[in-house]
Amino acid sequence: MSEQNILLKVENLKMHFPAESTWFGKPTKFVKAVDGIDFQIESGKTFGLVGESGCGKTTAGKCVLRIYEPTEGSIYYQGTDISKITESQLKPYRRSIQLIFQDPYGSLDPRQSVGSIVREAVLADGKKKAEADVKARIEELLTLVELDPSMAGRYPHEMSGGQRQRLGIARALACEPKLIVCDEPVSALDVSIQAQIINLFESLQEKLGLTYLFIAHDLAVVRHIADTIAVMYLGHIVEMMDAGELYANPCHPYTKALLSAVPVTDYYTEQKRSRIVLEGEVPSPIHAPSGCPFHPRCRHAADLCKTQMPPLVDQGGGHFVACHNY
Ligand code: SF4
């Protein structure tokens, strides 16, 4: 991957939230939601960030959007470290990096019509525009997300879940973004609608050259859209590689367990597969285990795993694994 093509580069990103403090307000314990992650996304590509709830993937996305101020680390967007700049310097980046929510209904004002929701986004840059141009742009955006422009007069409660998510996408596209952080954008939808929205994301990427940071808990969803996938566990990336390689050759015990839970459409393959059931719960990030964060649930854990954190190492061909066994 050439440096020039990299749209987003995240280095040693940490987001620690104070969890307990002294009488004087000095924090004594932290929730280490994200604890030193590195990744980069090539322009026009999709990077999937996957893991169970509480692994830190959404927090990482919110840091990229500067909804959270990272505790440590750098976020380079087109070569500029946007983690350190002021709110006024951030303004142009705010339009260029957009967010698509998990729950489109929760993010849409129920009192606003479809047309006025998109209009608001079209006018958000503060530039003067002729009414005819605004109307044409609203129509263009609705068509782009495969909604009939005649729906402009409807309200969000009159739409299906899939239509509402399309509206959320139209609103994000109004700002002409380069990077879209998609936070579980299909997990609230029926499976058949999920496929339609994933296809829409793909066709928009082709048409508009968009780059996605695609956050999901479900590997089955990400496999269809991502070029590169990183698996997160307790604030750390434990495995990262090309999407095809991840499904053909998963190395980390946690990734293997996650993959074993993804249903396979072929009946005979499904019959031959054995499911890896993980024991116990994800530990609290306030009391994260020493050494490898996965060791209390790992069937291969050795003494070393309990004391030493395995580094994320390239095992060859850009396949990164954080495990003492590799
Ligand atoms: Fe399991 Fe040890 Fe590898 Fe962690 S480092 S995943 S505990 S084998």
Side-chain angles (χ1 to χ4, degrees), residues 252-253 292 294-295 298 300-301 305 310 323-325:
H252 195 280
C292 171
F294 187 58
H295 86 254
C298 181
H300 308 289
C305 307
C323 175
H324 291 306
N325 268 348

Side-chain angles (χ1 to χ4, degrees), residues 49-51 53 57-58 100-105 161-162 165 169 182-198 201 214-222:
L49 207 48
V50 193
S53 325
K57 56 192 189 305
T58 294
I100 290 174
F101 298 88
Q102 173 181 5
D103 173 13
Y105 200 46
Q165 192 53 290
I169 297 169
C182 310
D183 187 9
E184 303 262 13
V186 296
S187 55
L189 304 173
D190 292 343
V191 177
S192 59
I193 309 296
Q194 285 187 359
Q196 291 174 15
I197 299 295
I198 295 283
F201 276 120
F214 202 96
I215 296 166
H217 67 274
D218 187 349
L219 270 172
V221 167
V222 184

